[in-house]
Amino acid sequence: MTVRFRLLGPVGVTVDDRAIELGHPQLRCMAAVLLIEANQTVAVDELIDRVWPDGALPRQPRRAVQHNIPLLRRALAPVPEVALTRDGCGYRLSVEPDAIDLHRFHALLAQARAAQHHNPDEADTRAAAALDQALSLWQGKPFSDLAAAADIPWLCALRAALTARQRTARLDLTDIRLRQGKHAELLAELAAGTASHPFDERLAAQYLLALYRSRRQAEALQHYHRLQRVLADELGTDPSRPLRRLHEQILAADPALAAPAPEPATRPPVPRQLPCPPRLFAGRSAELVHLDRHMDLAGTVAIGGTGGIGKTWLALHWAHQRLGRFPDGQLHVDLHGFDPAGQPMSAAEAIRGFLDALGVASCAIPADLEAQIGLYRSLLAGKRMLLLLDNARDIDQVTPLLPGTPTCAVLITSRRHLVGLAALYGVHLLNLDVLPDPDARELLAGHLGPDRLAAEPDTVADLLTMCAGLPLAVRIVAARAQHHPTFPLAVLAEELRDASARLDGLNAGGLRVNLRAVLSWSVRALSPQATRLFSLLGVAPGPDISLAAAEALAAFPAAQLRTVLRELEIASLVQQHVPGRYRMHDLVRLYAGDTAQHTLTEDTRDAALQRILYFYTHTAHAADRLLNPRQDSVPLDPPAPDVLPHPLPDALAALAWCNTEHACLLAAQHTATTLNPAGWKLAWALETFHARLSRLYDRLARWQAPADLATTPRRGSASGPSAG
């Protein structure tokens, strides 16, 4: 975890960029005092003097300290490797000094001083880097959110001393930059500084030198005379001897003031930013051909698919196999669209990184984002380069990064289907599906070797079935098997066989190789309605679901349901494999069911199951009446108020519906008989359909389930959702 304590600005603490609330102002002030004196004992009396202003002491100051210390401990509890302990007559906060910006600031200033003793050719570069880092730590006036700090003498004195050190560090850095010949880029900063600090003669000297070196001698002399008058009028004094000497040198055009000779021009670097290719790669031959064709014709392809489907690996494999097409280099950025940190990279940050990679000096980068985008596209114009924009969140994040030249090729990967890019820019979409079984087997053999697979063919088949063609799952299984090379694969298969625990087993010990975590990043980006529907789909019976059945399951209006399903489809969490029918990848479905257990109440899950079982039972009953109107019907309970059976106008429509929904009806029958004895009514409603199609095995299986249930103890009472 990355821990950062802030004192050079508002007082605060973050853990992995997540803010930790410290509490009321006295607690924040106490935390600041202990952080300033990190790893030193602060006496109780000193704490009292430094936390409460004169005249605002509590009636019992020591008791107030004793009351606040446990509160501060509780606030700091989420921060690792930090301890607040009693030490004699005071308290000590044990913490790594480098995690506190104030102590880091002092350490970097010491580094800058020490750099002057290094190789003279490197001294200024080292010192400038340290000073630049030190100054970047400042986020405003020290302790700026502590209103009482203005009335506490110790904090006021410390704030003044720190501010003085900051100004000195800034002046030291300016001296170095002037020695490095960066006078032109300093002019605006120095002009603003002299306006804010008109009596600072060191700053004035730097400004005069920068003006002179920028061929603005007259302005330099004017500024000197202006400063001379201000010093005389306000302070009754003359400029210092060093400033007068500089004035004389400017008048005489002393060669000693000349800027250092510029370094010889170098060619801009050729960026080679692609990460290393996947060591093992299997299948995807059709997709590689697809990329070849469309990267030649359109120049931009967006690869979409669920987490762990292998989008980045496909892009990297293709790119490394075709580096010769891009002699001017390759740019790569991970946009963190779906990431543990939860914060996608901004387009501005990505553009800045690309400009750095293209050799643009920081002083030449415009401040305005639109100007940066224009410069970036100008640099790419006419170049044969490849851009890999990995892990994109949405089209708004990607659009500013698209080059304006047809000579550059762009590969985009995202868990979302970026349909908007196709509509706006003609980007070709490549939707990645699971690996076929032979390719998944080849990938597993690449990790474990063909001999180990040949020794347990049935177990390997089971493992591949449980991975369901998801490359990440195959790689996790392979990694776990490699960790125990002498164990039979059957040991791992037995652990994964239980579907309820399979996601726990598909974890190789890191967030990026933990299938549950990887899928959670996709769900985290959903709207509340889509998250609820995703969870409900995890408990729905059957391999897929129709729009009408989903409407009963979720109790959403039809128009809203289509919108929410579209969101899940764009997020690659469901697939509309045929018009109006939706399915999930097996492992995504397991995760959806897992999410339902943790985010939905038991009553909510039971009510959803009851609605969809009502839907299947009542529609199947209506179909049965159309297929065999002479057969006696079984009385059914009324459907739930928000459940409408699927309309069936005639026997042909009834037959088609039964055939389309057959797998879901069998699954619903199993669910119904498991939850309630009245589930046999769905089996009865399917009797005519099975008889017409001679589905004797299905008839037997459907009638056997209630018989088995009758002789099997049920958990609890028959209060579950009824099929009738």
Side-chain angles (χ1 to χ4, degrees), residues 24 46 61 99 129 138 227 285 289 292 328 366 377 427 430 438 476 480 502 551 575 605 610 648 692 700 710 714:
H24 58 73
E46 290 179 326
W138 285 67
L227 175 63
S285 55
V289 171
D292 278 334
D328 294 319
R377 289 176 175 158
V427 172
L430 174 58
I476 292 173
R480 292 199 55 199
R502 189 169 302 157
E551 188 177 343
Q575 178 188 15
R605 298 194 304 271
Q610 184 171 4
L648 300 173
R692 286 202 176 192
L700 177 63
R714 296 193 306 276

Side-chain angles (χ1 to χ4, degrees), residues 46 94 101 108 193 200 258 266-267 283 314 379 420 494 509 515 530 536 553 586 588 590 597 617 621 635 648 689:
E46 290 179 326
S94 300
D101 58 1
L108 287 167
D200 190 325
T266 58
R267 293 183 60 187
L314 173 64
L379 292 171
E494 185 61 30
L515 187 60
L536 290 175
L553 175 75
D586 290 351
V588 174
L590 276 181
Q597 293 294 324
T617 302
H621 181 265
L648 300 173
F689 172 70

Side-chain angles (χ1 to χ4, degrees), residues 89-125:
C89 60
Y91 294 93
R92 175 198 297 265
L93 186 63
S94 300
V95 59
E96 174 59 46
D98 207 44
I100 307 169
D101 58 1
L102 184 148
H103 295 288
R104 176 75 175 148
F105 174 70
H106 289 314
L108 287 167
L109 294 188
Q111 285 183 29
R113 289 193 299 272
Q116 302 302 325
H117 304 295
H118 283 80
N119 183 339
D121 295 334
E122 300 179 1
D124 277 350
T125 301

Side-chain angles (χ1 to χ4, degrees), residues 250-311:
I250 292 173
L251 286 172
D254 189 339
L257 298 183
E263 296 181 0
T266 58
R267 293 183 60 187
V270 177
R272 308 287 187 190
Q273 292 190 323
L274 287 181
C276 64
R279 185 180 66 85
L280 296 173
F281 187 84
R284 304 300 191 197
S285 55
E287 288 85 352
L288 292 170
V289 171
H290 216 71
L291 284 175
D292 278 334
R293 182 168 68 252
H294 288 282
M295 292 297 278
D296 282 345
L297 295 178
T300 302
V301 174
I303 305 173
T306 192
I309 203 70
K311 303 176 293 295

Side-chain angles (χ1 to χ4, degrees), residues 582-619:
Y582 299 84
R583 68 184 179 192
M584 286 176 161
H585 183 275
D586 290 351
L587 294 174
V588 174
R589 183 182 175 85
L590 276 181
Y591 179 69
D594 187 65
T595 304
Q597 293 294 324
H598 291 90
T599 62
L600 303 178
T601 65
E602 185 177 359
D603 288 345
T604 301
R605 298 194 304 271
D606 285 350
L609 266 178
Q610 184 171 4
R611 287 193 300 269
I612 196 169
L613 292 177
Y614 274 136
F615 170 81
Y616 284 130
T617 302
H618 282 261
T619 309

